[in-house]
């Protein structure tokens, strides 16, 4: 019995290590552009940097419209349900900035809200100072939209004012 447990334990540890390695794989710009092309009409890449711990990208947008493949949430409860289902969601809460939407998510469920914030904060290491400033300005813009990709654990901000897309993924 002891021998069986140790073999099972080794298999489990090996399987866990494989998931950790794949979960921390460095993202590349081309595969990200391909994935984002289903949701957005991308222009040129203005910035991209990735390590095993984070990814950050800034892309021009030919259109600020988000594809219908991303579910829209016009209320917080609708958005929370979509997050719980693991669906990508774009929050369209009238008069709310992406920062305010994040605060609302945190108020409804602290654990979920911290998960949202941690991805954005974790990606700071992959951002230049000017990119951080532009990102924070977009977070405070009432015209900007917050998109959450729960599968990729990424935060995207559609900066409608400047027709660009911020992509952030930190290790969480």
């Amino acid at each position: 019995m002891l021998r069986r447990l140790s073999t099972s334990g080794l298999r489990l540890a090996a399987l866990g290590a494989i998931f950790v390695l794949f979960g921390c794989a460095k993202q590349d710009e081309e595969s990200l552009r391909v994935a984002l092309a289903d949701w957005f009409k991308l222009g040129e890449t203005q910035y991209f940097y990735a390590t095993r711990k984070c990814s950050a990208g800034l892309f021009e947008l030919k259109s600020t419209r988000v594809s219908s493949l991303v579910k829209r949430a016009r209320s917080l409860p609708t958005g929370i349900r979509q997050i719980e289902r693991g669906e990508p969601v774009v929050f369209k809460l009238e008069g709310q900035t992406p920062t305010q939407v994040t605060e609302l998510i945190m108020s409804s469920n602290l654990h979920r809200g911290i998960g949202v914030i941690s991805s954005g904060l974790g990606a700071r290491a992959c951002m230049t100072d000017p990119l951080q400033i532009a990102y924070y300005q977009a977070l405070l813009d009432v015209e900007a939209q917050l998109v959450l990709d729960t599968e990729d654990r990424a935060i995207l901000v559609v900066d409608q004012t400047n027709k660009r897309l911020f992509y952030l993924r930190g290790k969480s």
Side-chain angles (χ1 to χ4, degrees), residues 42-60:
L42 298 177
E44 295 295 316
T45 301
Q46 294 180 344
Y47 177 87
F48 181 81
Y49 183 76
T51 67
R52 289 194 179 281
K53 294 183 178 183
C54 60
S55 301
L58 178 61
F59 305 92
E60 290 177 354

Side-chain angles (χ1 to χ4, degrees), residues 15-16 26 31 45 86 115 161-162:
L15 187 60
K26 183 178 173 185
S31 64
T45 301
T161 303
N162 298 298

Side-chain angles (χ1 to χ4, degrees), residues 2 12 16 19 26 79 81 97 99 136 144 152 154 166:
L2 184 59
L12 189 58
F19 284 129
K26 183 178 173 185
R81 279 192 303 275
T97 68
T99 296
Y136 293 129
D152 198 29
F166 292 89

